[in-house]
Structure formats: C-alpha cells, structure tokens
Amino acid sequence: MQQNLTLWLREAEIQHASIIALLIVLGLILLISAVIHLILHQVVLKRMVLRSLNKPGKTEGHGWKQALTQHNLFNRLAFLLQGVILNIQVFVWLPSQSETREALIICSQVWIMIFALLSLFSLLDVLLNVSARTKVAAQLPLRGIFQSLKLIATIVISIMVVSLLIGKSPLILISGLGAMAAVLMLVFKDPIMGLVAGIQLSANDMLTLGDWLEMPKYGADGAVIDIGLTTVKVRNWDNTVTTIPTYALVSDSFKNWRSMSESGGRRIKRSINIDTTSVHFMTEDEQARLLRSKLLSPYIQNKKSELEQHNAQSDSDLTSPLNGRRLTNLGTFRAYLQVYLRTHPGIHKGMTLMVRQLAPTSEGVPLEIYAFTNTTAWVDYESIQSDIFDHIFAILPEFDLRVHQIPTGHDMRVMAQQMTAPKA
C-alpha cells in the first residue's frame, strides 16, 4: 500500500513522495488503532461485557463474575487484541523490505507477548479467586502453584523478548543460560525450595488453609491464611500475622491441630498439687458424711465391702494404722473426680478419661485430670475446663484436702498476727 501511495504522489509531482507516503501510512495505522481502541474499550468492554457481568441477578454465579472484573482480564485481552491488529496492519500497509516495517513488527510482537503474559497473570488470578471458594482448593497450595506458573511464564516471555530484540534464536539464549545455572539457582533458590516444599506439603497432606499451626521457632500460633510460593502466612490468635518460609515447614517441625478439630474432642491435661500433710485415712464419720453424695455412695459402699473382706481374710489388727487396708481421703477424692467427669455434660465419653496421681514433688502430690471435651471450640473448651477446676477447688475441703501453694502476703500477715497476739 505504501508503494502505491508513493507512485501516486510522484505522478502528482509532489516532492519527498516516499516520506509523505510513509507518514500517511503511519497516520492511518495510528488512526485505525485509536478507533479500534475506542471500540474495544468503550463499546465492547464497558457497555457490553462489563455491563452484562455487573448485571444484578442470581447470587450463585456472582463470585466468578466479580473475579473476572476484579483482575482486569478483559482489559488486558483487549490490549492483546490491539497488538495483533497492529501487527496485521503493518503487514498490510508497509512493504516487505522496509526498515519501518521491521521496527513496527518487533514493537507489535513485544506488545503482544507482554500483554499475553499479563493476560495469563489475570487468568491465573481469576482461577485462584474462584477456586478459593471450593473445598478442594483448601487441600492444595494453589497460590504457590500459580506463582510458580507466573515465574516460569515470565522467564519464557523474557527470553523470547530478548531474542526478538537482538534478532537471535531463543535456543541460543537458553543454551547460554546453562552456563549460568549456578547463578540462577542462587537467585531463584527460595522460589525453587518453596515450590518443592509446597508440593510436599500438599502430597503428604501436612498443611492446608485454615489449619491451626503452632511453630514456636517463628512465633506462630494461629490459623493459616495463605500458602504462597516462598512464604506461609499465619494469623495468630492476637491478630498479628507471622510469615514463615515455605521450605521451613518441611525442614523444621511444627504442630498442626487439624486432627484435634476433626476428632470432635480437645484434651484437658491439667493437674492440681495436693498438700501431702492433708492426706490421711478416713474416719467413720467422714465416710458417713460422704455417703450422702450421690456420686460417691456406690464407690464407698463397694470399697468398704472389699476392704472389710480383705481385712477379715488377712486377720489384720485394725487397732494399728499399720495393719490392714483403709479408705484414704485422697483415693476417695480421686474416685469422686472419675465419676464426676463421666457424668459431666461437657466431657467426651468416647475418649480417654482418667484421674491419675503423678510422682510427688516438693510442691505436693500432683493429681492430674486427663480427659477430652466434646467440643473443639476454643471458648467453649476453656469454659468447660474452668468449670471443672472451679468445682474441684471448691469441693476439696469436703475431703479435708488442701491445695499446696506458696505462702502469700496474706498468709504471712496472719502468721505474724498469731505470733504477736497476747496469750490468753
């Protein structure tokens, strides 16, 4: 087309016909590109595509519609189409051996590759946004996978752009990159390790979005909110966010509380220290008083019958505490707690439940409660646990037992008052 314009201008005896013809062709290309830009962006994109996507209707498909408009996918596709049309115009309007044509072809192809890459980014973002609403996505490190695809696509497009600008085959650049493998491994060490770690985490089902992760080394204790290519974000229970390298979850150890949440029960493992000086054999009066307890009555009756039978068979002299077997207030209290927990509405009946005595220490005899609540909700769990131990502390005096604790300022004042009080 440029050659025909040049001939017409020369026939009209116009000076600098070739330059004027080139300017006319470039002006036509620019004008057509501007018109196409207006048609694509103002008519097709805004008035047709976006309006139909934003049209109010059923809320079922609103998620993917919002994702399509949120990540500029159609806008970038429109620019990509403009690059294709520009490339076609160059072939139509300019002669094959023109330097201007070669320059415009290179520019249009670079334009096409850049916006093709950006369109791919938008498409991956849309897919990530839509898939994040599904249950399957929570089992896979999709963000890390998509980031890896973006990185690979960026490297490929960069090689193609550079090869196009220097006029060399991409294979030459790729072969040259082999010599720089060590440098590339150093530069992309974290993404590569993160990608491998993400695959391992997904394949072994070690971590998913929403899991309660505890990793003291990094100060993480909360819910996983993002699994990326190089980092994992954890929203701690104090609403701070901890960032952990993805590969650290494979190389280091961490605690995942997901199994606890799925089991339906959360463990209570807490002990109280009983003052050893308050442990003694129970008298008949104490036994008679505790027999009024609905929970303890069967235990005391059965235990008394068992002990009487044993003492009768062994012909024990019960006038001495050294002979025979007797009920102790600590053992009776332990039996009471066992029955109390089994009848507690907040305790899971299908999981391990026991009250055990640990090795005595300088702080008394630890009596440990080992049971599971029937809920994994944090607030409900703490409420059930507190309710149980409130009852334990309140009921201890009924068994003539005392909790061991370090003397407080109040204890010291009472002792001082007793020592300084006048003797009667």
Side-chain angles (χ1 to χ4, degrees):
M1 182 62 69
Q2 182 186 354
Q3 293 175 345
N4 294 333
L5 285 174
T6 304
L7 291 175
W8 294 340
L9 292 173
R10 285 176 179 174
E11 290 177 357
E13 297 181 355
I14 297 176
Q15 296 181 351
H16 308 293
S18 59
I19 297 176
I20 294 174
L22 177 60
L23 293 175
I24 292 174
V25 169
L26 293 178
L28 288 173
I29 292 175
L30 182 61
L31 178 62
I32 294 173
S33 298
V35 172
I36 292 174
H37 176 83
L38 291 174
I39 294 174
L40 287 176
H41 289 268
Q42 298 297 327
V43 179
V44 177
L45 190 59
K46 288 187 178 180
R47 296 186 181 181
M48 297 175 62
V49 178
L50 295 181
R51 183 175 295 179
S52 62
L53 290 175
N54 295 327
K55 185 178 180 181
K58 295 182 179 180
T59 58
E60 295 178 357
H62 184 66
W64 67 267
K65 291 181 179 180
Q66 185 180 8
L68 285 174
T69 57
Q70 185 178 2
H71 297 286
N72 298 323
L73 176 60
F74 293 109
N75 192 27
R76 291 175 176 178
L77 286 175
F79 278 109
L80 173 62
L81 184 58
Q82 282 184 249
V84 175
I85 295 174
L86 175 62
N87 194 46
I88 295 174
Q89 288 189 83
V90 171
F91 279 97
V92 172
W93 292 101
L94 295 174
S96 58
Q97 297 179 351
S98 171
E99 294 181 357
T100 306
R101 173 180 172 173
E102 296 298 328
L104 288 177
I105 288 176
I106 292 175
C107 292
S108 62
Q109 290 180 352
V110 170
W111 176 288
I112 291 171
M113 286 187 285
I114 290 175
F115 279 98
L117 179 64
L118 294 177
S119 300
L120 176 62
F121 286 179
S122 296
L123 178 61
L124 292 176
D125 291 337
V126 170
L127 293 176
L128 179 62
N129 197 334
V130 173
S131 60
R133 297 179 172 88
T134 63
K135 294 182 179 179
V136 178
Q139 309 296 326
L140 300 172
L142 292 182
R143 183 176 293 276
I145 294 174
F146 286 169
Q147 287 176 343
S148 302
L149 293 176
K150 288 181 180 180
L151 179 61
I152 294 172
T154 302
I155 294 174
V156 172
I157 294 298
S158 299
I159 293 174
M160 294 178 65
V161 169
V162 172
S163 65
L164 183 63
L165 293 176
I166 65 177
K168 300 292 183 180
S169 173
L171 296 177
I172 297 176
L173 292 178
I174 294 174
S175 62
L177 291 177
M180 299 178 61
V183 178
L184 292 175
M185 290 292 291
L186 181 63
V187 173
F188 296 105
K189 181 188 71 171
D190 289 342
I192 293 173
M193 294 177 66
L195 175 61
V196 175
I199 295 173
Q200 289 180 329
L201 290 174
S202 176
N204 298 322
D205 195 21
M206 297 168 62
L207 191 70
T208 58
L209 290 176
D211 285 357
W212 176 2
L213 180 144
E214 185 177 350
M215 203 169 186
K217 179 179 179 180
Y218 293 92
D221 185 14
V224 177
I225 58 175
D226 182 39
I227 303 177
L229 179 61
T230 56
T231 58
V232 172
K233 292 182 180 179
V234 178
R235 184 179 297 280
N236 300 314
W237 302 126
D238 58 357
N239 282 332
T240 59
V241 176
T242 300
T243 303
I244 305 172
T246 306
Y247 60 82
L249 296 173
V250 177
S251 59
D252 297 333
S253 62
F254 66 92
K255 183 184 291 186
N256 191 338
W257 291 79
R258 189 206 317 165
S259 298
M260 179 274 296
S261 301
E262 295 174 349
S263 67
R266 186 173 176 183
R267 186 181 68 175
I268 297 176
K269 187 175 182 291
R270 182 182 292 183
S271 60
I272 55 173
N273 293 325
I274 304 296
D275 189 348
T276 53
T277 60
S278 64
V279 180
H280 60 268
F281 292 124
M282 294 179 63
T283 63
E284 292 296 332
D285 293 339
E286 290 174 333
Q287 294 179 26
R289 176 166 51 85
L290 293 177
L291 270 172
R292 296 198 299 267
S293 170
K294 183 178 179 181
L295 297 178
L296 265 181
S297 178
Y299 168 78
I300 294 178
Q301 291 176 356
N302 293 334
K303 199 67 176 178
K304 284 183 66 176
S305 175
E306 176 189 337
L307 295 179
E308 288 173 357
Q309 183 179 359
H310 176 271
N311 292 333
Q313 291 177 354
S314 60
D315 194 19
S316 301
D317 181 10
L318 299 181
T319 58
S320 172
L322 299 175
N323 298 325
R325 294 171 58 192
R326 293 175 173 82
L327 281 172
T328 63
N329 59 345
L330 182 58
T332 306
F333 178 61
R334 182 161 45 85
Y336 168 79
L337 290 182
Q338 192 85 19
V339 180
Y340 172 75
L341 292 174
R342 291 193 183 280
T343 57
H344 195 286
I347 296 298
H348 201 298
K349 307 304 185 296
M351 294 185 175
T352 305
L353 190 157
M354 63 178 172
V355 181
R356 60 176 183 166
Q357 186 181 128
L358 303 180
T361 65
S362 59
E363 297 180 351
V365 181
L367 198 65
E368 185 182 76
I369 307 297
Y370 193 100
F372 289 82
T373 61
N374 56 12
T375 179
T376 59
W378 190 7
V379 176
D380 296 337
Y381 163 79
E382 293 293 347
S383 177
I384 294 171
Q385 182 174 240
S386 300
D387 177 69
I388 290 173
F389 279 88
D390 288 347
H391 179 77
I392 291 174
F393 289 126
I395 205 69
L396 268 175
E398 295 295 324
F399 294 85
D400 292 330
L401 291 169
R402 294 187 301 273
V403 177
H404 180 279
Q405 63 181 13
I406 298 174
T408 63
H410 174 74
D411 298 328
M412 295 300 182
R413 285 193 296 270
V414 172
M415 292 174 60
Q417 291 174 1
Q418 291 176 351
M419 293 176 63
T420 58
K423 296 182 180 180

